[in-house]
């Protein structure tokens, strides 16, 4: 496994900064959304999902008028055009949920639930669909990746992955061979070094430039406030 060094991290940072440097005003080539796509993603939301700081629920989105959806579509296309994710949609509302039979005075007895704006999630779905389309069209996702994939043609589900692993173990057992497996648990998902490394890999894969800018804007500068009853913390 490759272990990053300060020199390697700096080289990656320079490479990403060179590509994502501040640009003069231009008209980037984007894949715009439309009211039909916006409606389709709204219908895919679970109706009882809790809202974020803005109080806009998925039920409200489902009852938007045709005119409102058109305005929302124009807003989303402007965001893609400007390659800028609004900071207000990156502010999470964190609710600590108490675990059953755990002491109330212990911080480890609470499970933090992070709530984001439903409108933000809607835009996330639209952006994610463009990444997925690009990866599928260019055959960039290996067949051995089963997580976060549509269960259509090849049925890449977690159950299929477990069946694949068990089959591999039995096959090696019949050949009187040993099977080893390495498991990784990732932390600090929005760490600056991690973000830069991710962007560097996407640049190598030749992901459309506007998606790179939007993704960087989406990942950087995220904040949260902890809400307990009617009391909430300062943004962090």
């Amino acid at each position: 496994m490759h272990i990053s060094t300060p020199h390697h991290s700096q080289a990656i940072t320079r490479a990403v900064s060179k590509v994502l440097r501040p640009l003069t005003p231009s008209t980037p080539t984007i894949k715009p959304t439309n009211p039909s796509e916006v409606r389709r993603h709204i219908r895919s939301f679970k109706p009882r999902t809790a809202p974020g700081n803005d109080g806009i629920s998925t039920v409200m989105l489902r009852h938007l008028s045709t005119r409102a959806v058109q305005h929302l579509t124009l807003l989303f296309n402007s965001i893609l055009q400007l390659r800028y994710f609004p900071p207000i949609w990156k502010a999470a509302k964190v609710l600590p949920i108490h675990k059953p039979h755990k002491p109330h005075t212990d911080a480890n007895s609470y499970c933090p639930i992070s709530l984001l704006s439903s409108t933000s999630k809607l835009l996330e779905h639209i952006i994610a669909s463009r990444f997925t389309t690009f990866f599928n069209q260019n055959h960039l996702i290996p067949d051995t990746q089963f997580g976060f994939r549509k269960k259509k043609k090849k049925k890449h589900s977690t159950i299929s992955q477990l069946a694949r692993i068990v089959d591999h173990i039995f096959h090696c057992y019949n050949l009187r061979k040993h099977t080893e497996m390495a498991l990784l648990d990732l932390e600090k998902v929005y760490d600056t070094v991690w973000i830069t490394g991710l962007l560097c890999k996407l640049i190598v894969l030749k992901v459309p430039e506007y998606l790179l800018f939007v993704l960087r804007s989406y990942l950087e500068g995220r904040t949260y406030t902890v809400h307990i009853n009617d009391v909430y913390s300062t943004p962090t």
Side-chain angles (χ1 to χ4, degrees), residues 168-228:
H168 181 76
I169 293 174
F170 272 108
H171 177 72
C172 292
Y173 179 79
N174 291 332
L175 296 177
R176 297 182 180 277
K177 294 182 179 181
H178 295 285
T179 302
E180 296 181 354
M181 182 167 57
L183 304 176
L184 301 177
D185 186 11
L186 302 179
E187 295 181 352
K188 297 181 179 180
V189 177
Y190 295 117
D191 179 81
T192 303
V193 176
W194 182 89
I195 294 174
T196 304
L198 171 63
L199 292 173
C200 184
K201 290 182 179 180
L202 294 177
I203 290 172
V204 173
L205 295 175
K206 301 185 185 304
V207 169
E209 192 176 80
Y210 81 97
L211 289 177
L212 295 174
F213 276 90
V214 171
L215 180 63
R216 183 180 67 171
S217 180
Y218 169 80
L219 293 174
E220 293 180 343
R222 306 190 70 84
T223 61
Y224 67 89
T225 55
V226 180
H227 292 241
I228 302 178

Side-chain angles (χ1 to χ4, degrees), residues 17-84:
S17 299
K18 183 177 180 181
V19 175
L20 302 183
R21 63 189 183 279
L23 299 177
T24 56
S26 60
T27 306
T29 301
I30 69 170
K31 181 183 178 183
T33 185
N34 54 66
S36 297
E37 182 185 17
V38 173
R39 282 286 192 193
R40 185 173 68 253
H41 286 297
I42 290 177
R43 288 194 295 267
S44 69
F45 285 175
K46 295 180 181 179
R48 296 187 179 182
T49 303
N53 286 318
D54 57 13
I56 300 176
S57 64
T58 54
V59 175
M60 294 180 183
L61 293 178
R62 287 192 173 196
H63 287 82
L64 287 177
S65 65
T66 301
R67 187 67 177 274
V69 172
Q70 291 173 347
H71 282 295
L72 200 56
T73 302
L74 290 174
L75 175 61
F76 289 162
N77 283 332
S78 296
I79 290 173
L80 295 176
Q81 193 81 34
L82 295 172
R83 319 177 216 190
Y84 177 77

Side-chain angles (χ1 to χ4, degrees), residues 23-153:
L23 299 177
T24 56
S26 60
T27 306
T29 301
I30 69 170
K31 181 183 178 183
T33 185
N34 54 66
S36 297
E37 182 185 17
V38 173
R39 282 286 192 193
R40 185 173 68 253
H41 286 297
I42 290 177
R43 288 194 295 267
S44 69
F45 285 175
K46 295 180 181 179
R48 296 187 179 182
T49 303
N53 286 318
D54 57 13
I56 300 176
S57 64
T58 54
V59 175
M60 294 180 183
L61 293 178
R62 287 192 173 196
H63 287 82
L64 287 177
S65 65
T66 301
R67 187 67 177 274
V69 172
Q70 291 173 347
H71 282 295
L72 200 56
T73 302
L74 290 174
L75 175 61
F76 289 162
N77 283 332
S78 296
I79 290 173
L80 295 176
Q81 193 81 34
L82 295 172
R83 319 177 216 190
Y84 177 77
F85 205 93
I88 194 172
W89 286 350
K90 296 189 288 186
K93 176 182 179 182
V94 178
L95 300 178
I97 306 300
H98 181 254
K99 300 176 183 178
H101 313 298
K102 297 290 183 178
H104 288 77
T105 55
D106 187 357
N108 294 322
S109 300
Y110 296 85
C111 177
I113 303 298
S114 181
L115 303 178
L116 290 169
S117 167
S118 298
T119 312
S120 170
K121 294 178 183 178
L122 181 56
L123 180 55
E124 289 176 19
H125 278 62
I126 292 171
I127 295 172
S129 68
R130 277 139 185 77
F131 274 104
T132 302
T133 299
F134 176 81
F135 292 146
N136 290 336
Q137 289 178 344
N138 293 276
H139 308 288
L140 298 176
I141 303 178
D143 288 337
T144 52
Q145 177 176 327
F146 284 73
F148 309 103
R149 301 189 68 174
K150 297 288 185 181
K151 303 175 185 177
K152 290 184 178 180
K153 295 181 179 180

